[in-house]
Amino acid sequence: MSGPGRLRRTRAGALTSVLALAAGLLGTASATAPPAAALTPPVGFTADALSTYQTNGIVWALAEANGVVYAGGTFSGIRPAGSPAGSNTTAAVNFAAFDAATGAPAGCSLSFTRGSGTATVRALAVSPDRSTLYVGGYFSAVNGTAVSGLAAIDTATCRPRAGFAPRFGATVRALDVAANGTVYAGGDFLTVNGSSRRFFGAVTESGALTGWNPDADEPGRALKVTPDGDSVLIGGDFFTVGGAASHALAVTSASTGAVTRAYGAGFIPSSAVIKDIVTDAASDGWYAAGEGSGGASFDGRLAMELDGFEQRWRDTCQGATQALRVHRGVLYAGSHVHDCSSMGGFPNQARKHLTAQSVDDPDLLGWLPDTNDGIGEPVGPRALTVSSRGGRDFLWVGGEFTTVNGVGQQALTRFANTPDTGAPAAPAVSVSSPRAGEVRVSWRSSLDLDDSLLTYRVYRDGGSAPVYTTTGSSLFFSRPQLTFTDRNVVAGRSYGYRVTASDGTNTSGLSATAAVTAASSASPYQEAVLADGADLYWRYDEGSGAFAADASESGNGGVYMNAPAYRATPSAVAGSAALSLNGTNEYVYSDRLHHYSSPAPYSVETWFRTTSTSGGRIVGHGNNIGTERGHTSGVSDKMMYLTNDGRLAFGVQSGSTRPTITSAGSYNDGDWHHAVATQGPSGMVLYVDGVAVGTNAATGNRSYNGFWRVGGDAMNSAWPNRPTSEYFAGQVDETAVYPSALTAAQVAGHHELAGTPPGPGGSTVTVTPDEDAYVNGVAANTNYDDNQLASRGTTAYIGYLRFTLPSAPAGQVLRSARLTFRTSSDSTAGSAESHGIVPVTGTWTESAVTYNTRPTLSTSVLGTISGATSVSTGYAAELNASALGGALGSTTSLALTGSGTDSLRIWSSEATAAYRPQLVLTFGDE
């Protein structure tokens, strides 16, 4: 898009944390972020479409007065929501009125017709006192009463106002009414009341012609009186107004129509027109909707100052904006926006038809209900209005669409400020155990069409209480990865995790369980990649789904497209799986926009395996994420690709040239190969299997916003030795991107580590009880050998556990010990008090111990249980390893004791295996 950038902002800063989202700079979750609310401010409407009557044709205009919404257009009937076209239809000729709160007809029936040609209503405006509805369009009668393109309707009686009969020579497309009653009009006409008025004119309340005469050279499509009444803002197709050069937009005197502010060549490109104008006194601004032709035109929104009429900001998204409304500091728009890459937003892809942005900033907010394009041109929505009734606010939308949020609904729909009934989508979750004592739970942030800030809760092993809670932000085109590292795990034990997303009112279902076995040591290859600074690292260890987790700390998750084959074997790196790609349409793309500015250094690394003779793009950077024609990358470089004969190439775009390195050898032999491409101050280097196979002195590349893609993307025919296939057929593994140029030693080191399994490190042993039971001071002679253990001070419960401890491995000592357990499902299982873990010095058996025969306890304390407040939840308590070390190689007993009145109940060894208590012993070198 061309045109000036932002000149000035007002009221900036208050919403910065929300508005920065659309720039693709969404970070990882913050545990201290505010909780999600039903609607993420400043959004004021839910994305839930309400039941609304529909028409059988196009709605071109909307207006509201006194809780009634008026719709004008080109249609002949209305029908209830859910009724298919042609059924349950009530006659309504180009006009209908509806109760704003119910969406049902309001009892005002008018027919706008003409003797020949197709009649249509194109503009609606209500007088400031709400007593008169003005209707403009192409018609010659209202309920049989003769009119000529403009009618006045009494809102109280729903009858044409007698004596108001101005004559417009052609279609009226825009209307507004001043505080003094003057009715301003724009359209296709050249005369009003027989006098020359080219495309703009005004009449009094009685229909008499006024002196307002902008005298444009092309049709008018939009106009609005400023809040002070001194000016009329006009928009349309024109290039001159009153002889002054001012294309598509001008400010005119409200009395004469003389231009008081012109917008010269280039402000609005010659290929664009203005379709709507709205004002907002609260923000001291006015806003214009653009519709253009071609990528260099203007399709977005303008924010202008009412004081001085300068530009405040410019939205350069592409997608023909048709209608605007401001409500409580938010600018809502109807368009078919499909490309916001010029603003750091989403690239060219499927159209979106309803959007929102703050009046202070052009970045898109997290509000995205949708329609389809529909009939007619088609462009989707054509008109917006806001009405309040019964304590609720309603946004009405009219247009050409035939579906809303994927459900059949023609030409009319509406949204309210409350209630919010739409739950976020369940997160897509991936788990891994990157090193000893850690499980890494990663998930793709969820999508909610009216809530960009969501709260996430992580549950482990079926627990009812979350082990982690955080908030994170997302938009439909940027759904960043969020991560929780669970360090309360035991090597060799399997854990399952599920995650929910909540908008504060509605909560998603639990995600599918993602399970992993906790590792006892780390992958040497992975540790080297992370140590060398990878800020995108896809290991491809997922077993299904669309989410590719980033193993780095940068949260650069990916999206699997078209369901490639997961967990392929053999993998390139010990302990990891690989990904198989079909060479036709399967690929992975980064879920976050990345900006590269030449000549910043970088490295791209991956393993690949193939026997293909069609070549293909293995990994690279491009400005789009789709596969449809027109939605693949038009700009791309920093890529590694395979030629038809199996040679590896690394190329960039620098100006009009494409510096490229191509290996001499071929690598389509079915074996795994390690490929690294670097570019920095010393130029380009391509490495294969740890050795440099080519260099190029070029240090420059293409600077642009884009996405990393593995497996395929468009390739310009100018690339040297361009392969037959743009998509790679084979397997990939361990893809990483670095913000530096790796050295030859680093590359060789990575290659050498690929086959190295995790080292032995320390050893961990998990021991379950040989016997366990508890006693109860109330039932002093009763033995409690069941599936629960209990602890309380008064009246006393004491739990007992007996373990057979192993000896320490040769050359090692006990480094740490912990008791892991799970609170039971009893409603009193959790305890807000602390409970001690103490050695037992007396004898006991689980089948016979009672309170009266209870064993003697030591006066020392090995550990303390605290914070085990939730039921059905796993916990752990650290023990004194030095004190426990003396019991290694023997049998020892521990007791759970309390001093207060709040009991703790945990599952015993008679419970399901996953719920049993365990003693976790970790040994290390002496």
Side-chain angles (χ1 to χ4, degrees):
M1 294 285 180
S2 62
R6 303 177 205 176
L7 299 181
R8 187 160 73 92
R9 291 188 187 179
T10 60
R11 301 165 62 208
L15 302 171
T16 300
S17 61
V18 174
L19 301 175
L21 306 181
L25 302 176
L26 295 144
T28 56
S30 169
T32 60
L39 297 176
T40 301
V43 169
F45 296 102
T46 78
D48 307 320
L50 301 176
S51 178
T52 308
Y53 260 64
Q54 51 192 324
T55 73
N56 61 359
I58 299 171
V59 171
W60 294 101
L62 292 170
E64 67 84 29
N66 310 315
V68 176
V69 171
Y70 302 98
T74 310
F75 52 85
S76 61
I78 58 174
R79 64 186 188 276
S83 295
S87 64
N88 301 320
T89 300
T90 301
V93 183
N94 301 320
F95 177 89
F98 304 94
D99 185 303
T102 67
C108 178
S109 179
L110 298 169
S111 296
F112 288 79
T113 58
R114 59 178 297 110
S116 61
T118 301
T120 184
V121 171
R122 292 300 182 105
L124 297 170
V126 175
S127 62
D129 66 3
R130 325 303 281 171
S131 67
T132 305
L133 171 69
Y134 292 94
V135 183
Y138 184 62
F139 48 81
S140 59
V142 183
N143 285 5
T145 299
V147 291
S148 183
L150 181 64
I153 308 300
D154 186 291
T155 57
T157 64
C158 188
R159 294 178 180 176
R161 203 175 74 209
F164 184 82
R167 304 183 311 279
F168 284 79
T171 305
V172 174
R173 296 183 180 274
L175 290 172
D176 198 21
V177 187
N180 64 6
T182 301
V183 182
Y184 295 89
D188 299 343
F189 52 85
L190 297 176
T191 63
V192 179
N193 290 355
S195 297
S196 175
R197 288 292 188 272
R198 294 200 304 168
F199 308 115
F200 291 96
V203 297
T204 66
E205 287 182 284
S206 64
L209 185 65
T210 75
W212 187 71
N213 184 14
D215 192 34
D217 65 334
E218 294 287 347
R221 296 175 180 264
L223 57 80
K224 195 70 178 176
V225 181
T226 57
D228 61 12
D230 293 340
S231 302
V232 179
L233 313 167
I234 64 172
D237 300 20
F238 51 81
F239 288 86
T240 64
V241 180
S246 191
H247 173 52
L249 200 64
V251 182
T252 69
S253 164
S255 58
T256 66
V259 174
T260 58
R261 175 61 191 267
Y263 298 93
F267 187 79
I268 301 294
S270 60
S271 57
V273 300
I274 295 297
K275 300 297 292 287
D276 197 12
I277 298 173
V278 295
T279 59
D280 178 46
S283 62
D284 189 34
W286 57 286
Y287 307 87
E291 177 185 84
S293 176
S297 193
F298 174 62
D299 272 352
R301 273 77 69 189
L302 283 176
M304 308 290 288
E305 301 285 0
L306 282 169
D307 181 11
F309 305 111
E310 296 289 338
Q311 177 178 293
R312 180 183 297 163
W313 53 255
R314 179 179 293 231
D315 172 328
T316 58
C317 293
Q318 293 181 335
T321 307
Q322 304 295 310
L324 302 173
R325 273 299 177 272
V326 175
H327 179 68
R328 300 184 185 274
V330 175
L331 178 65
Y332 296 90
S335 70
H336 57 259
V337 60
H338 58 91
D339 187 351
C340 286
S341 56
S342 61
M343 293 177 58
F346 58 90
N348 188 32
Q349 55 179 274
R351 294 176 168 187
K352 308 294 181 182
H353 298 86
L354 293 168
T355 59
Q357 54 209 139
S358 167
V359 293
D360 293 316
D361 196 292
D363 292 337
L364 294 182
L365 298 173
W367 184 78
L368 210 78
D370 203 11
T371 72
N372 64 353
D373 286 344
I375 60 177
E377 286 188 15
V379 297
R382 289 286 191 173
L384 303 173
T385 197
V386 174
S387 182
S388 298
R389 189 161 196 183
R392 298 170 71 197
D393 298 333
F394 299 91
L395 175 68
W396 281 70
V397 182
E400 300 173 298
F401 52 86
T402 57
T403 66
V404 178
N405 291 342
V407 177
Q409 175 72 19
Q410 186 170 358
L412 280 173
T413 191
R414 63 200 174 101
F415 306 92
N417 61 325
T418 185
D420 179 13
T421 60
V429 180
S430 176
V431 294
S432 63
S433 185
R435 50 185 63 89
E438 290 185 9
V439 167
R440 184 180 174 93
V441 185
S442 300
W443 64 95
R444 188 187 189 199
S445 50
S446 295
L447 182 63
D448 189 314
L449 296 181
D450 47 34
D451 297 284
S452 54
L453 182 66
L454 300 174
T455 296
Y456 299 89
R457 294 177 175 87
V458 181
Y459 299 86
R460 183 177 63 190
D461 291 341
S464 60
V467 294
Y468 181 69
T469 300
T470 191
T471 57
S473 296
S474 61
L475 296 171
F476 82 94
F477 61 91
S478 185
R479 295 169 60 184
Q481 175 177 309
L482 300 164
T483 298
F484 160 58
T485 299
D486 188 357
R487 294 183 172 86
N488 189 21
V489 297
V490 179
R493 180 171 173 177
S494 180
Y495 296 89
Y497 297 85
R498 305 179 81 180
V499 183
T500 64
S502 174
D503 62 14
T505 299
N506 310 287
T507 300
S508 74
L510 286 160
S511 68
T513 299
V516 67
T517 298
S520 59
S521 57
S523 158
Y525 182 92
Q526 170 200 261
E527 295 300 284
V529 169
L530 296 176
D532 287 339
D535 61 5
L536 182 156
Y537 183 19
W538 297 338
R539 305 205 70 194
Y540 308 118
D541 288 342
E542 289 76 25
S544 62
F547 173 55
D550 178 16
S552 84
E553 295 302 319
S554 299
N556 281 310
V559 179
Y560 293 116
M561 293 297 293
N562 300 313
Y566 305 96
R567 300 197 65 79
T569 57
S571 62
V573 172
S576 175
L579 184 74
S580 286
L581 301 165
N582 63 5
T584 303
N585 64 351
E586 295 173 352
Y587 64 100
V588 192
Y589 72 84
S590 57
D591 209 11
R592 182 185 295 176
L593 199 66
H594 296 79
H595 180 75
Y596 284 88
S597 296
S598 177
Y602 64 92
S603 299
V604 184
E605 177 178 40
T606 197
W607 289 77
F608 70 93
R609 178 173 177 256
T610 187
T611 57
S612 172
T613 57
S614 299
R617 177 169 163 160
I618 303 173
V619 58
H621 194 250
N623 71 341
N624 215 328
I625 58 178
T627 55
E628 298 178 28
R629 174 179 283 185
H631 296 166
T632 49
S633 295
V635 176
S636 61
D637 73 340
K638 307 174 188 66
M639 72 171 76
M640 288 192 287
Y641 61 94
L642 213 62
T643 65
N644 287 351
D645 58 3
R647 292 179 295 151
L648 186 67
F650 164 42
V652 299
Q653 187 172 354
S654 181
S656 60
T657 66
R658 286 177 167 79
T660 303
I661 303 167
T662 305
S663 69
S666 296
Y667 302 100
N668 56 346
D669 53 9
D671 292 331
W672 279 109
H673 295 284
H674 179 229
V676 179
T678 71
Q679 189 176 26
S682 299
M684 303 165 61
V685 185
L686 177 62
Y687 300 87
V688 180
D689 296 334
V691 178
V693 297
T695 61
N696 189 301
T699 59
N701 55 70
R702 188 77 178 261
S703 299
Y704 61 99
N705 293 325
F707 306 82
W708 287 104
R709 288 176 54 137
V710 174
D713 197 1
M715 289 185 65
N716 188 288
S717 59
W719 288 104
N721 302 301
R722 181 182 181 276
T724 300
S725 175
E726 296 177 335
Y727 287 79
F728 174 75
Q731 290 82 47
V732 292
D733 199 5
E734 307 291 326
T735 301
V737 179
Y738 304 78
S740 63
L742 294 178
T743 66
Q746 288 173 314
V747 173
H750 292 191
H751 180 253
E752 290 301 317
L753 286 171
T756 305
S763 58
T764 299
V765 178
T766 301
V767 183
T768 55
D770 300 323
E771 294 186 82
D772 52 22
Y774 80 97
V775 299
N776 182 350
V778 173
N781 293 312
T782 303
N783 169 252
Y784 292 89
D785 177 18
D786 55 26
N787 63 359
Q788 291 189 71
L789 303 177
S791 170
R792 186 173 66 188
T794 53
T795 302
Y797 294 151
I798 305 173
Y800 301 98
L801 306 99
R802 178 178 289 114
F803 298 94
T804 299
L805 304 184
S807 300
Q812 295 187 338
V813 295
L814 184 64
R815 292 297 187 189
S816 66
R818 71 174 74 171
L819 178 68
T820 66
F821 60 90
R822 185 180 183 86
T823 52
S824 75
S825 58
D826 189 289
S827 61
T828 64
S831 177
E833 298 176 352
S834 295
H835 296 260
I837 304 172
V838 300
V840 177
T841 57
T843 60
W844 62 281
T845 62
E846 70 174 7
S847 61
V849 66
T850 67
Y851 186 78
N852 283 339
T853 64
R854 66 189 185 277
T856 306
L857 305 184
S858 170
T859 57
S860 63
V861 178
L862 286 178
T864 301
I865 296 171
S866 60
T869 57
S870 299
V871 302
S872 299
T873 301
Y875 292 99
E878 295 295 327
L879 304 181
N880 186 325
S882 298
L884 192 62
L888 292 176
S890 65
T891 298
T892 190
S893 294
L894 303 176
L896 307 181
T897 66
S899 58
T901 59
D902 190 6
S903 63
L904 172 72
R905 291 182 178 273
I906 70 173
W907 295 118
S908 73
S909 59
E910 278 74 26
T912 302
Y915 295 172
R916 295 170 185 169
Q918 293 181 323
L919 198 60
V920 181
L921 309 175
T922 300
F923 300 92
D925 294 338
E926 292 182 311

